Amino acid sequence: MTGRGQPQTSAVRGSAALEAGADGPIRAAEDPDHTAREAPRGQRPFRGPLRAELTRWFGPVVGATVLLVLLFAMANKADRWLDAWISTADHLRTAGMLVGGPLTAAAACWQGGRERRRGTRDLLATMPRTPLRRALLAAAPTILWPVAGYLLTAAVCLVATWRYASYGGPWVSLIAADATALSALGVLGFLAGRVVPWRLAPPLVAVGTYLALGLPTYSQSATTWLSPAPQHSYDWDRPLWWYGSASMVWTAGLAGAALLAYAARRRVTALVPLAAAATAAALLTQLGFEGPWRPDPRAAALVCDDGTPQVCASRVHARMLPGASAALAGLSAKLRGVANAPARVVESESSASRGTDARVSGWDTFFRRNQATQPEYFAHNAAADAATPTSCPTPDTRTRSDDISSAVIDWLAPMPGRDDPLAAPPPPLYTRTLTRLRTMPERERTRWLGGYLAAARSCRLERVTAP
């Protein structure tokens, strides 16, 4: 064929191959002089431009790296999040943003400088595709693959949490907000690579991303919750219903505005996502010190065993109850039948606790995967609150009643390591009281303990005399 038709067809074929990374023939829709035909034997068929970008080696490698790094980060602290759905979401957010975020931004920045390194920017500018479409195609691998790695990590962690969590379910809105933030970091990193013509830009972008996400977690200002990285620490709270959506609008709007300002034919369209991001930011900056978290009464409701005294855990830690009951069996036996003894031993964070209860805080520090890892310390803490209620004021200096209280606590639930020969010798009154409690007749000891606990409940331990 001669004339104008043949050169035009060759140009279209070359452009398609350059953008799609394909070696084979082009589609009939892009070549008006040819009908649809099969690829010659030994030659790969034409791949669409998006598929070609996503199947190049760089995107899958970045996604696999994000997956492996996040799995390692989550597995390294598995005992801290396996027991509660909200803890899983919190740790996924921290790992995804502070570990996966800088990695994604750096990889996207390197991807953004690809055409400049290859010297193909001018050639690509002559193609019929708009700059926005070319930018989206080029950025897709470092946006979609890291998000896929994060979502796979989330799926693995949610399956693991399902085995141990006692109450609730996955916080899908928070996971979606994290995935959106990760994709936004990919867009911003890609644009940085397009704008900054420097090979050291990717590591600098990684450091800048880490600082931008991490520094707000150390402050309590109005802008703290603009960062998607701050972590929550209470298992019995829940986020505000609109927090996940507002966070997604904030991060996606910011990235969309930057992308449109860079590549859109009408840059004024960038004002639309920018306005949405500003609206979401205004909501997030009004959250205050508590942030988006509010107490969940259903999660904090108590679940009790049928012992005497009862052992009660919050619903979110209900699977810890059998281990707690076993750890407190010795303490319960010593308190059974004693007047003024606590009616229940409860998790102190529960709003359903009463003044007659002995409260133990930080159950998640004594349990791992619903099994008691430090039963002696757990029982000792319960005995300490039973013998010296935390609601009573603490004197500035040690008094005589402190030695008696310490002896009572160690008789109820001995402190591990108290008999260490290298430790300083205890006060004489403590030693005499503990020895007397161990040797005095049971009926006499029960009567004395009843009077002691009555004085402890009324915060008048100074009136107690040694047995």
Side-chain angles (χ1 to χ4, degrees), residues 15-24 27 44-60 111 114 118 129 136-142 144-145:
S15 300
L18 180 60
E19 289 199 27
D23 299 326
R27 294 172 296 183
R44 291 180 299 176
F46 175 81
R47 296 179 298 172
L50 179 59
R51 181 184 175 189
E53 288 285 359
L54 292 178
T55 54
R56 286 194 178 103
W57 68 272
F58 188 65
Q111 178 79 353
R114 181 183 64 179
R118 294 178 177 179
R129 291 193 178 98
L136 286 173
L137 287 174
T142 48
L144 299 181
W145 279 110

Side-chain angles (χ1 to χ4, degrees), residues 91-409:
H91 283 79
L92 276 171
R93 162 160 289 198
T94 301
M97 294 299 103
L98 296 183
V99 179
L103 180 60
T104 299
C109 183
W110 180 261
Q111 178 79 353
R114 181 183 64 179
E115 282 76 19
R116 184 179 60 255
R117 292 192 303 272
R118 294 178 177 179
T120 58
R121 296 181 66 179
D122 294 337
L123 179 60
L124 290 173
T126 64
M127 293 185 174
R129 291 193 178 98
T130 64
L132 179 59
R133 187 181 179 189
R134 291 200 304 270
L136 286 173
L137 287 174
T142 48
I143 296 175
L144 299 181
W145 279 110
V147 170
Y150 170 80
L151 293 177
L152 283 175
T153 303
V156 172
C157 294
L158 293 179
V159 171
T161 304
W162 178 76
R163 295 182 56 193
Y164 301 100
S166 305
Y167 170 78
W171 293 98
V172 178
S173 63
L174 298 182
I175 294 174
D178 296 343
T180 303
L182 202 62
S183 63
L185 290 174
V187 172
L188 296 175
F190 176 83
L191 295 178
R194 282 289 181 93
V195 173
V196 181
W198 196 24
R199 287 183 178 270
L200 292 179
L204 293 179
V205 165
V207 173
T209 301
Y210 180 82
L211 294 177
L213 294 174
L215 289 180
T217 63
Y218 295 97
S219 65
Q220 291 294 338
S221 64
T223 59
T224 297
W225 298 101
L226 292 180
S227 169
Q231 187 176 358
H232 184 60
S233 57
Y234 298 109
D235 293 344
W236 44 90
D237 284 356
R238 61 182 298 136
L240 294 170
W241 64 269
W242 52 264
Y243 172 65
S245 300
S247 182
M248 284 188 279
V249 173
W250 157 241
T251 54
L254 200 62
L259 181 63
L260 291 175
Y262 172 79
R265 288 180 177 177
R266 296 181 179 179
R267 296 184 178 180
V268 70
T269 56
L271 294 177
V272 176
L274 185 62
T279 302
L283 290 174
L284 295 174
T285 54
Q286 300 300 316
L287 290 173
F289 177 78
E290 292 182 349
W293 307 98
R294 299 295 182 270
D296 183 358
R298 291 178 295 179
L302 291 177
V303 179
C304 303
D305 65 7
D306 54 359
T308 304
Q310 287 184 308
V311 180
C312 304
S314 62
R315 186 176 295 173
V316 76
H317 292 153
R319 289 190 178 182
M320 297 180 184
L321 188 57
S325 299
L328 298 177
L331 173 63
S332 298
K334 291 180 178 179
L335 290 176
R336 194 172 297 123
V338 176
N340 303 305
R344 303 184 302 179
V345 179
V346 305
E347 191 171 2
S348 66
E349 290 80 5
S350 174
S351 58
S353 61
R354 300 190 293 258
T356 58
D357 295 334
R359 295 182 289 263
V360 184
S361 62
W363 281 42
D364 51 348
T365 62
F366 301 108
F367 288 80
R368 290 291 182 266
R369 306 185 186 189
N370 299 321
Q371 301 298 318
T373 57
Q374 300 175 342
E376 297 87 358
Y377 286 100
F378 181 72
H380 185 79
N381 278 18
D385 194 79
T388 55
T390 55
S391 58
C392 296
T394 303
D396 296 332
T397 58
R398 188 173 182 86
T399 63
R400 177 177 176 276
S401 62
D402 292 333
D403 295 337
I404 298 177
S405 298
S406 297
V408 172
I409 294 170

Side-chain angles (χ1 to χ4, degrees), residues 83-94:
D83 298 333
W85 292 108
I86 195 65
S87 295
T88 302
D90 284 339
H91 283 79
L92 276 171
R93 162 160 289 198
T94 301

